[in-house]
Structures are given as structure tokens and as C-alpha cells.
């Protein structure tokens, strides 16, 4: 529902001439489908796939204005943070699924697994949930994501995607809340997030950043409620989840209207409005009041339900958790006041920093259709608060789906004078006091670090990663082709060679069948040695070709003229290509390797030769099934219409493979030829502009 309203809102937010709107609309639809898949998936692996799709689509949406370096950096930060958490979560899913013997959520709920492996898996799952829902200390990416257009912020970063981690905790808590470490970790992280997010929202001057840090704080609130894993707390979490989606999306849309019309979100410049702004102002006040927990709005019902779930709970440390929620709610009231006064009466909260000359002129009144989607969200916030029975069934169904032991609870605005109502009143009074003490709070905040620890940690991690990458690249990417080839060959020898060591050697086939074999072997050995000894490039190519022709001679002696013909064609074409390319290079090899380098090359070469020989001997004796070549021979003439089995295999049986190989060789040949031409041209250019030719330095 909110996605539909955001799409309608975006049609007014962006002008028809804005470039790339079709891409934005498509990405929003992809994200919507991914999020629907995430919350309806009954299998952990399917849930992970949809989880990653939301991360990727969020990355593309945050970086939609891809010419803005801030947008690109923020998109990358969001992707790295949530993506790494998603990988950890996948590891947790695998551990839990393997321990339980199933990846179905319903089966896990019916027979919860336990043990050390499951505990480790749960920690990894929580890491993924914390990064996705911007929990402390991974909160920094969410305020950075506010560079995205307001429709994206309203949909992804307030109403939907950031709640994916909350949703995952809500699904897992009724199953695993009694596992060792679950409640202490989840509740501690949630409270820390709620308090730090609210504290940082109090010194922001950008309306969207106030909302962003407020979203971080509210996400911590939700994590605490769902993470407790008790039926009453789960029901309260569902109410707060619904209320938050309505009031926070509505506030984002109103802030977008202000930004679009006034071209600024800085509360030090806002405050002057003409006629036609009453509608957005009323919507902002209603949604803000719901966020602050003021009756008779839906946000008040959620906050009172949260207090009630902990007042009578026997949870260990329940009073401390309740005190943390009250403190976080006081901060929520205070930053809500900062948001509303900052948008419409900024002199109250800017601590005298606003300069009259910086204030903007009254912006043009927005069209009714522009702020109508926000009005729908605000109206629902009021309606569901006054008549909570309208959503009682929805809340009950959601609570029961998360925790079957959750009892049906009919929502009501008035439950009489009880502890929860007293705490709600105390929250409002303390929130007013913090708001009135704004200048003192501002002075205190200026003495303390202003940025979140997660931001510094992220930047430090990126710098460290780049440093390690530079050092590692300098070592392993030396630019030496012989080193690269040596590493590849050694890997090809060591990895399968380790498996060969434990394989018994079967019957060794005869190595020589006649005197001709000795002649062919001698030709190949002499040609191979000569190819690495001679200093002339063309001579090395000819010696290299002699090795191939010696192999063709072996095929002839073994009665395989088709193979011999193929070998001759391949070596001839290879020699021609070498000649075409090497004629652009110097005639002689210029490098003179040291004795150490020559020794290393000899060792690698001998290791490869010994391994290939041993592999052929052992593989030939270890065969347990008939070779597939007999099937090729049987079908070559009947299905391929040819007596040359090799040609039939290359052209018919694996024709697409052959075409791919030809394409690769052709592209590689053209690339090598182009590089050789370029190298020769640069060499000529250097000679033509040398000082001796220009008469310089004589």
C-alpha cells in the first residue's frame, strides 16, 4: 500500500522532463517484488535470495543520481554493510538448516534445533539482521542513504527495507529466544541503537537526517520488542511496526514536499510559508504526534502496548529494559519536536543560529495532488488510533503468525489508569522538558563527538581494506608473465598431485612400441630444449613447432592418421600466427634471467613434466568404466557421417565447444596483434622525438 502511494507521489515529485524516471519506476517495482518475496518466503534459502535482491535494488536506488559522488559513496556503503551482513546471515542459515535437517521455517518452529552449531548460526543471522536494520554499530549507512530521492527514502529507508532485519528477528525470536545469548545480545543492541539514534537526531539541521536518525532509533525500539520473544511483546511490536510505517512514511513525504518547493531542508533557513501550506503542516503534526506517542493516535497505542508488555513481564532485567525504552521514547518526543518546530518554527530549536539573511522566501504552495498520498497516511494514523478495532484483526493475525502462543487482544484506546498510562504521561512530560532544555542539550552535544562510531569504523575499515589490497596487489600482481604462469602451473601440479599421492599405481602400459617411438621422442626433447635455449624468436617458434610435429609422428606410428593430421594443422596454424605477431617484436630475446630465476623455471618445468607423466600412467591404470572414446568411434560414422573420428568430435559432437575455442583464440590473437602494433608504434614515436633527432643536448 505504501509502495503504491510512493509511486503516485513520485509522479508529482519529479518533473516529466527528469531523465531516468523509467529506470527509477522499474527499480521501485523490483524492490517491491523482492520485499514481498522476503516476507512471504517459507524457506530460508529463498528468503536469502529475496534479501539480497532488496540489497541490490536498494544500492541502485540510492545511487540513482549516479553523477553525484555522494550518492555513489552512500550507495556503496549501504551495499557493503548490508551485503557483508547478508553473507554472514547465509552462513547462519546453512548452519541452522544443516543442524535441523530442514530449511523450512515451519519445520524449524515445530522442532527447534539446539547446540553450539545452532548458537553460532544464530549469531551470524543476527549479524545480518543488525546490518540490514542499521543497528548499532552498523547504523551509519542509513543516514548516508538519505542522499537518495525522497520517494526512495520514504519507501525503502522508513517503511520497508530497513525493517527486513526486524522482520527476521520477529520470525526467529519465538523459536530461538530461549537459546543462550539471544535475549542479552538482541535487547542490548536494540536499546543502544534506540538511545544513540535518538541522541544524534537532536543535533541535526537537515530534516531528512533528523528523520533518518529517528528511524534508526525506532528500529532499535522494534528490535527490542520482537527480540524479547514473548507473546505480549511480539503483539506490541506488530502495532509499533504498523504505526511506524504510517507516520514515518508520511513525514518523509511531507519533508519531500518542503524540499521540492523550498529547495532546502535546512531548518536554519526554513520557517516562512504562504497560504496553501496548511495541509502539509497538519499532516506533519499528526504524523509527528503519532511518532512521539501522543494520544489518540496509533503511535500512542503502540507505545502503550510496549510499556504494558514489560510492566508485568518476568523477563530478567525487565525493569532495566523498560527504563531504556522510556528514555528512548523521551528522546523520540524531543527530536520529533525538533523536526516539527524546525520545519515550521525553526527559531525555537536552532539555538539562535539562524540568520535572517539566510532565510528563504516563502515557497510556492504545493498542489493538493502532491501531498495527497501523505494525507492518506496521516488520515489512517488518526483513524486507526481513534478506532483501533479496524486493525485489531490484522494485528492479531500477524502476531499469531509470528508466535502461535500470542493471545488475541482487542485493541482499545483506553485501558484505564495503569502503569503503562503513567509511563506514557511521564514520557511526554520528560520529552517536553528535554525540548525546553534544547540550548543546554545543544551545548552538551557540542562537547561530545558528533559522528556515530559506526561511521568512523566504516571509514577506518575501508582505508585498512584499501591498504591491504594495495600491499597484496603489489606482491601477487607483480606484472611478470613468467611468475603468473609459474603460479598457475604449480597450482595445477600441487592440487591434483596431492590426490594422486594416495592412488595406487595399476598396470603400467608399455612406454615404447618400436624404434620409431625413440626417434619421435628424441625430436620432441631436442625441440623443447632448443625452444627455451635459443635467443632468436623465430628460431624458438620453429623449435616449438618441431615438438608438435614430433607428436604428430607419434600418432602416425600408433595408427591414428586423423589425429596426426589434426596435430599438423594446429601446429602449422599456430606457427603462422606466431610469425605474424612476432614480426612486430624485436628479433632477439632481450631478457637475461638470473641463475635463481632459471633454477625456478627448471624446477617448475620438471614438476609439470613429472606430474603429467604420473597422471597419465596412474589414470590409465585406475580406470573402472569403459572409455567414452569407444562411444565416439561407434557413433562417428553413423551419426556424424565421417570416418575421421577427431573431425567428427570437433565439428559435430562438441561443435559448440569448438566454436567457442575458435572465438577465444581469434579474439586473443587480435588482441596480441593489436598490442604488438601499439608497442611498435610507441617505439617509433619515442625514436622520432628523441633529443638526438631534435638537435637537443648537442
Amino acid at each position: 500500500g505504501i509502495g503504491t502511494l510512493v509511486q503516485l507521489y513520485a509522479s508529482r515529485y519529479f518533473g516529466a522532463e527528469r531523465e531516468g524516471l523509467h529506470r527509477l519506476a522499474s527499480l521501485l517495482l523490483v524492490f517491491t517484488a523482492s520485499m514481498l518475496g522476503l516476507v512471504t518466503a517459507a524457506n530460508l534459502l529463498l528468503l536469502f535470495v529475496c534479501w539480497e535482491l532488496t540489497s541490490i535494488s536498494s544500492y541502485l536506488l540510492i545511487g540513482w543520481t549516479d553523477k553525484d559522488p555522494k550518492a555513489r559513496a552512500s550507495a556503496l556503503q549501504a551495499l557493503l554493510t548490508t551485503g557483508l551482513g547478508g553473507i554472514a546471515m547465509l552462513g547462519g542459515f546453512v548452519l541452522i538448516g544443516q543442524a535441523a535437517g530442514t530449511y523450512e521455517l515451519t519445520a524449524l518452529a515445530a522442532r527447534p534445533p539446539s547446540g553450539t552449531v545452532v548458537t553460532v548460526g544464530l549469531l551470524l543471522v543476527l549479524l545480518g539482521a543488525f546490518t540490514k536494520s542499521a543497528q548499532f554499530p552498523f547504523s551509519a549507512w542509513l543516514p548516508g542513504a538519505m542522499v537518495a530521492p525522497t520517494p526512495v527514502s520514504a519507501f525503502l529507508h522508513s517503511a520497508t527495507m530497513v525493517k527486513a532485519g526486524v522482520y527476521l528477528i520477529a520470525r526467529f525470536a519465538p523459536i530461538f529466544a530461549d537459546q543462550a545469548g539471544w535475549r542479552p545480545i538482541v535487547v542490548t543492541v536494540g536499546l543502544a541503537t534506540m538511545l544513540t539514534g535518538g541522541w544524534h537526531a537532536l543535533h541535526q539541521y537537515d530534516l531528512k537526517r533528523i528523520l533518518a536518525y529517528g528511524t534508526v532509533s525506532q528500529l532499535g525500539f522494534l528490535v527490542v520488542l520482537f527480540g524479547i520473544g514473548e507473546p505480549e511483546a511480539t503483539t506490541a511490536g506488530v502495532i509499533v511496526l504498523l504505526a511506524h510505517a504510517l507516520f514515518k512514511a508520511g513525514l518523509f513525504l511531507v519533508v519531500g514536499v518542503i524540499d521540492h518547493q523550498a529547495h532546502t531542508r535546512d531548518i536554519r533557513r526554513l520557517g516562512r510559508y504562504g497560504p496553501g501550506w496548511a495541509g502539509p503542516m497538519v499532516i506533519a503534526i499528526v504524523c509527528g504526534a503519532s511518532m512521539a506517542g501522543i494520544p489518540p493516535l496509533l503511535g500512542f497505542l503502540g507505545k502503550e502496548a510496549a510499556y504494558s508488555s514489560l510492566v508485568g513481564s518476568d523477563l530478567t532485567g525487565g525493569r532495566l529494559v523498560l527504563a531504556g525504552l522510556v528514555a528512548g521514547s523521551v528522546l523520540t518526543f524531543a527530536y520529533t519536536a525538533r523536526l516539527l518546530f524546525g520545519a515550521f518554527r525553526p527559531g525555537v530549536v536552532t539555538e539562535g543560529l539562524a540568520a535572517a539573511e539566510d532565510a528563504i522566501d516563502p515557497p510556492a504552495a504545493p498542489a493538493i495532488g502532491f501531498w495527497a498520498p501523505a494525507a492518506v497516511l496521516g488520515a489512517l494514523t488518526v483513524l486507526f488510533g481513534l478506532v483501533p478495532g479496524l486493525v485489531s484483526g490484522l494485528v492479531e493475525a500477524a502476531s499469531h503468525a509470528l508466535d502461535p502462543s500470542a493471545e488475541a487482544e482487542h485493541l482499545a484506546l483506553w485501558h484505564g489508569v495503569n502503569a503503562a498510562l503513567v509511563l506514557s504521561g511521564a514520557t511526554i512530560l520528560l520529552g517536553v522538558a528535554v525540548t525546553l532544555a534544547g540550548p543546554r542539550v545543544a551545548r552538551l552535544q557540542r562537547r561530545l563527538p558528533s559522528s556515530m562510531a559506526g561511521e568512523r569504523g566504516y571509514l577506518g575499515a575501508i582505508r585498512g581494506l584499501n591498504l591491504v589490497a594495495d600491499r597484496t596487489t603489489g606482491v601477487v600482481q607483480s606484472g611478470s608473465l613468467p611468475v603468473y604462469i609459474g603460479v598457475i602451473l604449480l597450482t595445477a601440479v600441487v592440487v591434483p598431485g596431492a590426490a594422486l599421492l594416495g592412488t595406487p599405481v595399476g598396470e603400467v602400459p608399455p612406454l615404447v612400441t618400436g624404434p620409431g617411438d625413440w626417434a619421435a621422442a628424441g625430436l620432441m626433447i631436442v625441440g623443447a630444449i632448443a625452444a627455451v635455449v635459443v635467443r632468436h624468436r623465430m628460431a624458438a617458434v620453429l623449435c616449438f613447432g618441431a615438438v608438435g610435429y614430433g607428436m604428430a609422428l607419434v600418432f602416425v606410428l600408433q595408427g591414428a592418421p586423423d589425429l596426426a593430421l589434426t596435430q599438423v594443422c594446429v601446429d602449422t596454424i599456430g606457427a603462422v600466427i606466431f610469425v605474424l605477431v612476432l614480426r612486430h617484436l624485436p628479433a632477439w630475446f632481450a631478457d637475461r634471467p638470473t641463475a635463481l630465476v632459471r633454477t625456478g623455471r627448471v624446477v617448475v618445468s620438471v614438476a609439470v613434466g613429472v606430474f603429467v607423466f604420473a597422471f597419465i600412467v596412474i589414470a590409465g591404470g585406475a580406470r573402472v568404466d569403459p572409455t567414452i572414446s569407444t562411444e565416439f568411434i561407434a557413433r562417428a560414422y553413423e551419426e556424424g557421417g565421417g570416418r575421421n573420428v577427431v573431425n567428427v568430435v570437433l565439428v559435430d559432437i562438441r561443435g559448440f565447444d569448438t566454436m567457442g575455442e575458435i572465438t577465444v583464440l581469434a579474439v586473443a590473437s587480435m588482441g596480441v596483434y593489436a598490442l604488438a602494433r601499439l608497442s611498435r608504434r610507441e617505439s617509433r614515436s619515442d625514436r622520432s622525438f628523441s633529443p638526438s633527432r631534435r638537435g637537443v643536448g648537442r
Side-chain angles (χ1 to χ4, degrees), residues 278-305:
M281 186 179 299
V282 170
I283 297 169
I285 293 173
V286 168
C287 292
S290 181
M291 182 166 65
I294 296 177
L297 304 172
L298 184 60
F300 169 76
L301 269 68
K303 193 158 294 183
E304 192 174 52

Side-chain angles (χ1 to χ4, degrees), residues 529-593:
I529 294 175
V532 298
V533 171
V534 298
R535 308 296 301 170
H536 197 280
R537 293 183 187 271
M538 291 303 176
V541 171
L542 295 177
C543 294
F544 184 72
V547 176
Y549 291 127
M551 193 69 234
L553 180 58
V554 172
F555 292 147
V556 172
L557 294 173
Q558 297 297 324
D562 50 354
L563 283 175
L565 180 60
T566 303
Q567 183 72 33
V568 169
C569 290
V570 170
D571 276 285
T572 302
I573 295 174
V576 171
I577 293 175
F578 270 118
V579 170
L580 289 175
V581 173
L582 295 181
R583 69 189 184 89
H584 295 286
L585 298 177
W588 300 87
F589 290 109
D591 64 320
R592 294 184 178 276

Side-chain angles (χ1 to χ4, degrees), residues 1-213:
I2 292 177
T4 302
L5 292 176
V6 167
Q7 291 275 24
L8 295 173
Y9 174 85
S11 65
R12 294 297 188 98
Y13 184 85
F14 300 104
E17 70 282 355
R18 183 69 178 267
E19 183 181 356
L21 284 182
H22 61 286
R23 179 162 55 93
L24 179 68
S26 301
L27 287 173
L28 285 173
L29 289 176
V30 169
F31 171 80
T32 303
S34 304
M35 197 69 197
L36 286 173
L38 190 154
V39 299
T40 55
N43 182 279
L44 292 179
L45 298 182
L46 177 59
L47 190 152
F48 169 75
V49 171
C50 297
W51 183 284
E52 291 301 283
L53 286 174
T54 61
S55 296
I56 294 171
S57 54
S58 172
Y59 165 75
L60 296 174
L61 286 166
I62 296 172
W64 181 64
T65 53
D66 50 8
K67 295 182 180 179
D68 184 1
K70 290 184 178 180
R72 296 197 301 270
S74 297
L76 181 62
Q77 181 180 4
L79 182 65
L80 289 177
T81 304
T82 60
L84 290 175
I87 293 174
M89 185 189 73
L90 175 61
F93 283 171
V94 171
L95 292 177
I96 294 172
Q98 291 299 108
T102 179
Y103 289 89
E104 299 296 323
L105 282 168
T106 53
L108 288 174
R111 295 182 303 276
S114 60
T116 304
V117 173
V118 175
T119 300
V120 174
L122 289 175
L123 292 176
L124 294 175
V125 170
L126 286 177
L127 182 60
F130 291 160
T131 55
K132 194 77 161 183
S133 290
Q135 296 298 290
F136 182 87
F138 309 107
S139 307
W141 73 265
L142 182 55
M146 291 302 110
V147 299
T150 298
V152 174
S153 300
F155 191 28
L156 275 67
H157 305 131
S158 68
T160 52
M161 190 197 80
V162 289
K163 293 197 177 76
V166 173
Y167 166 78
L168 186 63
I169 291 174
R171 291 299 301 265
F172 270 58
I175 305 173
F176 298 107
D178 293 328
Q179 294 276 356
W182 173 278
R183 284 196 180 96
I185 293 175
V186 175
V187 172
T188 301
V189 170
L191 285 177
T193 304
M194 186 179 187
L195 295 174
T196 56
W199 177 256
H200 284 88
L202 288 177
H203 62 79
Q204 303 299 319
Y205 292 97
D206 185 300
L207 291 177
K208 280 184 70 174
R209 289 186 70 84
I210 297 175
L211 287 176
Y213 282 107

Side-chain angles (χ1 to χ4, degrees), residues 19 44 92 247 394 414:
E19 183 181 356
L44 292 179
F247 65 65
L394 183 64
W414 176 255

Side-chain angles (χ1 to χ4, degrees), residues 507-518:
E507 183 180 355
V508 179
L511 301 180
V512 179
T513 59
D517 292 343
W518 290 105

